[in-house]
Amino acid sequence: MVKFAVLGCGVVGSGVVELFEKNKALIEKRCGQELEMGYILDLRDFPDRPYGNKVVKSLDVILADPDVKVVAECMGGTEPAFTFVKACLEAGKSVATSNKELVAAKGDILLKTAKEHNVNFFFEASVGGAIPIIRPLHKCLAANDFTAIAGILNGTTNFILNKMIKENMDFSTALALAQEKGYAEKDPTADVEGHDACRKICILSSLAFGKHVYPESVHTQGIREVELKDVERSSELGYTIKLIARVQRLENGKILPTVMPMVVEEDNLLSQVNGVYNAVMVRGDGISKAMFYGRGAGKFPTASAVLGDMIEEVQLDHTIPAQTWENVNSTDFIEDFAAFTAKRYFRVSGEDAAALNAVFGNLASISAQDGETVCITDKEMNADDVEAAAKALNGKGIQVLAQYPVLVS
């Protein structure tokens, strides 16, 4: 008999408890041994729920019980989650978490602690909810030399952009609808400003390239400034606007992680990911590219991923060496955003195609109407190139109204 504990009984924590109770026999069969939910750590009481008698107020109770081998951390945030998880690992208890903020900020320390105590710190649920992506990166695709990862990693922003695309809603109206449906928090900052997606690409970057990437090293831009007009006009050219979290390895060996709105070609599968769904595209020398798609959040999808990690942890008697990355004191392996280049979408005032060609050279596509022109450049541009182009156009009496980088297939 193996006991497990759950830290935090909010949305995800209660989902872990309920899904375990629902599928207990099946989970035990797959574990190969009996499991018992030993404790739920929470400041609240749950007298009306069947697991109310499992609630404890102190982590010490869990740490002191040698039969607790696995802990699910579902509290969220960095503290006290970090202190609690580290204490559990030091007590010889493996931990599974859905907490992307914790993994992005402290993953290197917790992985090192787990290794030192011959246990595991797993976090499949921290990126993409029920989508399996962490385990494939360090297991199924472990023979690959990764070159890039790009994805739609935040369901809230994808829902908002989808409403703007399909129903011609402006940003504020789409955000209000997302909040009404429970897809966005009352304070949506982490989602719409890109912080949530940033934490997730930090985790994927760290795992794929072997060194801890902190959120502060990621150029992050959200969707609050995306205008309905650009959503509509980009579609005329065969593109759609998505919040893309991406990391690529450059020719100099450095990596460049970014989060920002990008216009995506219609033949790229990421352009077809709608609503609250997430998707991750992985590029490697052995696979060319592989895509992972599914529900990126929600009570039971996330609980499913947490329990999947817990099942594996129960089966293990050693630390998995592949699911790790280095603790680093330098960010010299991360390229500055100034080196980022991409083809660009521009929306400008006027309908002077000749002037645009004079500044940009050949254009991949162009469309003019209602006194404005949109175009896709044929050449890749960095931030300095964009600034220089804007100055050149201004000299011709043309104002740049919006610009976005292009994500190609």
Side-chain angles (χ1 to χ4, degrees):
M1 171 76 74
V2 172
K3 284 184 181 180
F4 70 88
V6 178
L7 309 185
C9 197
V11 174
V12 177
S14 63
V16 169
V17 173
E18 292 169 28
L19 192 59
F20 171 75
E21 293 296 336
K22 177 177 181 290
N23 293 336
K24 184 175 187 294
L26 181 62
I27 290 170
E28 289 180 328
K29 181 179 180 180
R30 290 172 177 168
C31 276
Q33 54 188 303
E34 293 183 10
L35 295 179
E36 177 188 340
M37 183 178 63
Y39 308 98
I40 298 171
L41 178 68
D42 204 289
L43 296 176
R44 299 164 295 175
D45 291 311
F46 302 93
D48 299 329
R49 300 188 188 181
Y51 49 79
N53 62 332
K54 302 288 186 177
V55 176
V56 296
K57 306 296 183 183
S58 171
L59 182 69
D60 292 339
V61 178
I62 295 169
L63 297 177
D65 190 336
D67 293 330
V68 175
K69 303 296 184 184
V70 177
V71 175
E73 186 278 306
C74 307
M75 303 172 68
T78 305
E79 285 292 356
F82 172 68
T83 299
F84 287 6
V85 169
K86 192 168 185 290
C88 289
L89 296 171
E90 290 171 340
K93 306 176 191 301
S94 290
V95 176
T97 184
S98 60
N99 189 343
K100 63 261 184 182
E101 185 175 352
L102 174 66
V103 182
K106 303 288 187 178
D108 52 346
I109 298 171
L110 295 173
L111 285 164
K112 183 173 182 288
T113 304
K115 184 177 181 181
E116 289 170 348
H117 294 84
N118 201 38
V119 291
N120 286 286
F121 175 60
F122 285 173
F123 41 88
E124 184 67 67
S126 67
V127 179
I131 303 172
I133 183 59
I134 301 298
R135 195 170 280 106
L137 282 179
H138 75 88
K139 285 191 171 183
C140 313
L141 305 179
N144 282 261
D145 184 18
F146 299 114
T147 54
I149 299 172
I152 295 168
L153 301 180
N154 182 271
T156 300
T157 53
N158 203 45
F159 174 85
I160 291 170
L161 290 172
N162 193 229
K163 288 296 178 183
M164 295 175 73
I165 294 165
K166 301 294 185 182
E167 300 183 26
N168 294 323
M169 288 187 184
D170 60 29
F171 172 82
S172 298
T173 303
L175 171 59
L177 180 62
Q179 291 172 318
E180 179 185 324
K181 289 182 171 292
Y183 299 148
E185 301 290 342
K186 184 177 181 180
D187 178 2
T189 302
D191 293 321
V192 300
E193 298 296 346
H195 304 315
D196 177 78
C198 172
R199 293 162 185 155
K200 294 171 182 176
I201 200 63
C202 284
I203 296 168
L204 295 180
S205 301
S206 301
L207 188 57
F209 297 104
K211 294 182 179 180
H212 192 100
V213 176
Y214 293 95
E216 295 78 14
S217 298
V218 181
H219 174 84
T220 303
Q221 178 186 347
I223 67 167
R224 197 180 291 274
E225 304 304 319
V226 174
E227 294 185 41
L228 179 58
K229 181 174 289 188
D230 291 303
V231 170
E232 295 171 338
R233 297 300 303 274
S234 63
S235 67
E236 296 172 11
L237 304 179
Y239 294 80
T240 185
I241 297 180
K242 298 288 187 182
L243 183 68
I244 300 294
R246 183 171 183 256
V247 60
Q248 60 178 326
R249 190 181 64 208
L250 307 179
E251 290 184 1
N252 63 8
K254 294 184 178 184
I255 65 170
L256 181 52
T258 57
V259 174
M260 54 188 168
M262 301 183 76
V263 293
V264 184
E265 290 181 318
E266 286 183 348
D267 61 355
N268 187 317
L269 289 174
L270 290 176
S271 73
Q272 307 304 315
V273 177
N274 296 317
V276 294
Y277 281 80
N278 285 190
V280 184
M281 187 82 76
V282 180
R283 288 186 176 273
D285 59 349
I287 58 170
S288 181
K289 61 182 177 182
M291 181 168 162
F292 301 82
Y293 169 83
R295 285 194 172 273
K299 180 175 183 175
F300 291 115
T302 306
S304 169
V306 173
L307 280 164
D309 278 349
M310 293 168 65
I311 289 170
E312 184 173 1
E313 287 174 336
V314 168
Q315 296 168 332
L316 293 168
D317 60 1
H318 61 280
T319 302
I320 292 291
Q323 185 164 310
T324 190
W325 54 75
E326 293 180 33
N327 181 305
V328 293
N329 295 318
S330 170
T331 60
D332 59 3
F333 67 100
I334 300 175
E335 186 59 89
D336 189 88
F337 180 68
F340 176 85
T341 63
K343 296 180 179 181
R344 302 279 173 160
Y345 160 93
F346 282 91
R347 177 167 57 88
V348 303
S349 62
E351 299 184 10
D352 191 342
L356 294 178
N357 277 289
V359 172
F360 295 125
N362 292 331
L363 292 170
S365 53
I366 185 169
S367 173
Q369 66 178 48
D370 299 330
E372 294 181 354
T373 302
V374 292
C375 64
I376 304 290
T377 66
D378 197 40
K379 65 179 181 180
E380 294 193 350
M381 307 173 68
N382 60 27
D384 288 342
D385 296 331
V386 171
E387 184 177 354
K391 287 181 179 179
L393 289 171
N394 192 54
K396 297 175 180 294
I398 299 171
Q399 182 182 0
V400 173
L401 304 173
Q403 71 84 20
Y404 294 100
V406 175
L407 180 69
V408 297
S409 298

